[in-house]
Amino acid sequence: GGLGGVLESPAPARNLVYPADSAPGAQTTHTMQTTPTDSLSMRSLTIDYGVDDSTPPASVHQFSRSDIEAIGVDETGDGYVDRSVGIAIQNVRTSTDGRVTLTFDRSITVSENHTFLLASATQNPDVTGAEDVSVTLHGDQTTHRDRGTVLYGPAGQGTLGYGVDLRPTAADGDAP
Protein backbone atom coordinates (compact mmCIF):
# COMPACT_ATOMS: atom_id res chain seq x y z
CA GLY A 1 0.00 0.00 0.00
CA GLY A 2 0.89 3.67 -0.27
CA LEU A 3 3.75 5.09 -2.31
CA GLY A 4 6.03 2.21 -1.31
CA GLY A 5 3.64 -0.23 -2.97
CA VAL A 6 3.57 1.83 -6.15
CA LEU A 7 7.36 1.93 -6.29
CA GLU A 8 7.61 -1.84 -5.83
CA SER A 9 5.22 -2.55 -8.69
CA PRO A 10 6.62 -3.93 -11.95
CA ALA A 11 8.15 -1.39 -14.30
CA PRO A 12 6.34 -0.39 -17.53
CA ALA A 13 5.63 -3.37 -19.77
CA ARG A 14 7.60 -2.36 -22.87
CA ASN A 15 10.82 -1.71 -20.98
CA LEU A 16 13.07 -4.70 -21.50
CA VAL A 17 16.33 -3.36 -20.09
CA TYR A 18 16.47 -1.14 -16.99
CA PRO A 19 19.52 1.02 -16.24
CA ALA A 20 20.14 1.62 -12.52
CA ASP A 21 21.25 5.15 -13.50
CA SER A 22 19.69 6.31 -16.75
CA ALA A 23 21.80 9.47 -17.14
CA PRO A 24 23.43 9.74 -20.58
CA GLY A 25 27.03 8.50 -20.46
CA ALA A 26 26.72 7.06 -16.93
CA GLN A 27 28.66 3.95 -15.95
CA THR A 28 25.86 1.86 -14.43
CA THR A 29 24.17 -1.55 -14.27
CA HIS A 30 21.73 -2.66 -16.96
CA THR A 31 19.24 -5.34 -15.94
CA MET A 32 17.51 -7.37 -18.66
CA GLN A 33 14.47 -9.53 -17.87
CA THR A 34 12.58 -11.78 -20.27
CA THR A 35 9.90 -14.39 -19.55
CA PRO A 36 9.25 -17.12 -22.14
CA THR A 37 5.66 -18.32 -22.53
CA ASP A 38 6.89 -21.87 -23.23
CA SER A 39 9.69 -23.85 -21.58
CA LEU A 40 12.94 -24.02 -23.51
CA SER A 41 16.46 -25.36 -23.24
CA MET A 42 18.69 -22.44 -24.15
CA ARG A 43 22.19 -22.76 -25.62
CA SER A 44 22.85 -19.05 -26.19
CA LEU A 45 21.49 -15.58 -25.45
CA THR A 46 21.69 -12.48 -27.65
CA ILE A 47 20.99 -8.91 -26.55
CA ASP A 48 20.78 -6.49 -29.46
CA TYR A 49 20.92 -2.81 -28.51
CA GLY A 50 21.29 -1.79 -32.17
CA VAL A 51 17.74 -2.71 -33.27
CA ASP A 52 16.29 -0.32 -35.89
CA ASP A 53 19.42 1.88 -35.78
CA SER A 54 19.15 2.49 -32.02
CA THR A 55 22.25 3.85 -30.32
CA PRO A 56 24.01 1.05 -28.43
CA PRO A 57 25.64 1.63 -25.03
CA ALA A 58 29.18 2.90 -25.28
CA SER A 59 30.75 -0.20 -23.72
CA VAL A 60 28.86 -3.00 -25.52
CA HIS A 61 31.69 -3.79 -27.96
CA GLN A 62 34.02 -4.28 -24.95
CA PHE A 63 31.60 -6.48 -22.97
CA SER A 64 33.26 -9.40 -21.17
CA ARG A 65 32.42 -12.04 -18.60
CA SER A 66 33.76 -9.79 -15.83
CA ASP A 67 31.00 -7.23 -16.60
CA ILE A 68 28.30 -9.72 -15.57
CA GLU A 69 27.00 -9.00 -12.07
CA ALA A 70 24.18 -11.59 -12.05
CA ILE A 71 22.84 -14.06 -14.60
CA GLY A 72 20.29 -16.80 -14.17
CA VAL A 73 16.67 -17.79 -13.73
CA ASP A 74 14.20 -16.15 -11.33
CA GLU A 75 11.86 -19.02 -10.45
CA THR A 76 9.90 -17.25 -7.69
CA GLY A 77 9.10 -13.94 -9.41
CA ASP A 78 10.83 -11.79 -6.79
CA GLY A 79 13.33 -10.20 -9.20
CA TYR A 80 16.35 -12.10 -7.88
CA VAL A 81 18.30 -14.95 -9.49
CA ASP A 82 17.31 -18.27 -7.88
CA ARG A 83 19.38 -20.46 -10.22
CA SER A 84 22.65 -18.90 -11.38
CA VAL A 85 24.06 -19.94 -14.76
CA GLY A 86 27.25 -17.86 -14.76
CA ILE A 87 29.48 -20.90 -14.47
CA ALA A 88 28.02 -22.29 -17.73
CA ILE A 89 29.13 -19.32 -19.89
CA GLN A 90 31.47 -20.69 -22.52
CA ASN A 91 31.96 -17.74 -24.85
CA VAL A 92 31.16 -14.01 -25.12
CA ARG A 93 30.91 -12.43 -28.58
CA THR A 94 30.35 -8.74 -29.19
CA SER A 95 29.95 -6.49 -32.20
CA THR A 96 30.36 -2.78 -32.82
CA ASP A 97 26.71 -2.50 -33.88
CA GLY A 98 25.45 -3.21 -30.34
CA ARG A 99 25.06 -6.99 -30.15
CA VAL A 100 26.26 -9.25 -27.33
CA THR A 101 25.93 -13.04 -27.55
CA LEU A 102 26.62 -15.37 -24.64
CA THR A 103 27.09 -19.07 -25.46
CA PHE A 104 26.69 -21.73 -22.77
CA ASP A 105 28.57 -25.03 -22.46
CA ARG A 106 25.32 -26.86 -21.68
CA SER A 107 21.60 -26.35 -22.14
CA ILE A 108 20.03 -23.93 -19.67
CA THR A 109 16.40 -24.75 -18.92
CA VAL A 110 14.07 -21.77 -18.60
CA SER A 111 10.66 -23.07 -17.60
CA GLU A 112 7.39 -21.57 -18.73
CA ASN A 113 6.68 -18.26 -16.95
CA HIS A 114 10.06 -18.16 -15.22
CA THR A 115 12.15 -15.05 -15.84
CA PHE A 116 15.68 -15.03 -17.23
CA LEU A 117 17.75 -12.17 -15.74
CA LEU A 118 21.05 -10.61 -16.72
CA ALA A 119 22.57 -7.68 -14.81
CA SER A 120 25.78 -6.24 -16.19
CA ALA A 121 28.07 -3.24 -15.88
CA THR A 122 27.40 -0.98 -18.86
CA GLN A 123 28.11 2.58 -19.94
CA ASN A 124 25.01 4.35 -21.25
CA PRO A 125 25.18 6.06 -24.65
CA ASP A 126 25.03 9.87 -24.81
CA VAL A 127 21.33 9.94 -25.78
CA THR A 128 18.01 10.58 -24.04
CA GLY A 129 14.64 8.93 -24.57
CA ALA A 130 13.61 5.41 -25.51
CA GLU A 131 15.95 3.22 -27.52
CA ASP A 132 14.89 -0.14 -28.99
CA VAL A 133 16.44 -3.35 -27.71
CA SER A 134 15.76 -7.04 -28.34
CA VAL A 135 16.64 -10.26 -26.55
CA THR A 136 16.72 -13.74 -28.06
CA LEU A 137 17.03 -16.97 -26.09
CA HIS A 138 18.28 -19.53 -28.63
CA GLY A 139 16.95 -22.93 -27.62
CA ASP A 140 17.80 -26.39 -28.84
CA GLN A 141 14.44 -26.67 -30.59
CA THR A 142 12.64 -23.39 -29.92
CA THR A 143 13.59 -19.72 -29.76
CA HIS A 144 12.15 -16.99 -27.55
CA ARG A 145 12.35 -13.40 -28.84
CA ASP A 146 11.43 -10.36 -26.83
CA ARG A 147 11.54 -6.77 -27.99
CA GLY A 148 11.21 -3.60 -25.96
CA THR A 149 13.00 -0.43 -24.97
CA VAL A 150 15.58 0.99 -22.62
CA LEU A 151 14.97 4.55 -21.35
CA TYR A 152 17.82 7.05 -20.98
CA GLY A 153 17.57 10.44 -19.34
CA PRO A 154 15.28 11.72 -16.55
CA ALA A 155 12.28 9.60 -17.59
CA GLY A 156 14.27 6.41 -17.06
CA GLN A 157 15.05 7.24 -13.44
CA GLY A 158 11.68 6.28 -11.96
CA THR A 159 9.26 3.39 -12.20
CA LEU A 160 6.37 5.76 -12.95
CA GLY A 161 7.53 6.75 -16.43
CA TYR A 162 7.26 9.98 -18.38
CA GLY A 163 5.49 13.05 -17.02
CA VAL A 164 5.35 12.20 -13.32
CA ASP A 165 7.29 14.58 -11.07
CA LEU A 166 7.58 13.31 -7.51
CA ARG A 167 8.96 16.60 -6.18
CA PRO A 168 5.83 18.06 -4.57
CA THR A 169 5.38 21.80 -4.09
CA ALA A 170 2.92 23.67 -1.89
CA ALA A 171 -0.03 25.51 -3.42
CA ASP A 172 1.79 28.82 -2.98
CA GLY A 173 4.79 27.45 -4.93
CA ASP A 174 7.10 26.92 -1.96
CA ALA A 175 8.84 23.60 -1.50
CA PRO A 176 7.32 21.64 1.41
Side-chain angles (χ1 to χ4, degrees), residues 42-43 85 87-91 103-108:
M42 165 178 72
R43 292 298 296 203
V85 299
I87 197 164
I89 297 172
Q90 180 179 27
N91 189 23
T103 306
F104 301 100
D105 63 5
R106 57 184 157 262
S107 292
I108 307 298

Side-chain angles (χ1 to χ4, degrees), residues 1 10 20 30 37 63 68 75 80 82 85 92 94 98 106 114 146 157 160-161 163-164 171 175:
H30 280 203
T37 54
F63 188 90
I68 297 172
E75 298 173 342
Y80 295 97
D82 297 311
V85 299
V92 177
T94 63
R106 57 184 157 262
H114 286 176
D146 204 354
Q157 286 300 96
L160 302 179
V164 178

Side-chain angles (χ1 to χ4, degrees), residues 16 34-36 40 134-138 142-147:
L16 183 59
T34 187
T35 305
L40 66 101
S134 71
V135 172
T136 306
L137 306 180
H138 306 277
T142 59
T143 299
H144 168 74
R145 287 187 177 87
D146 204 354
R147 187 174 168 140

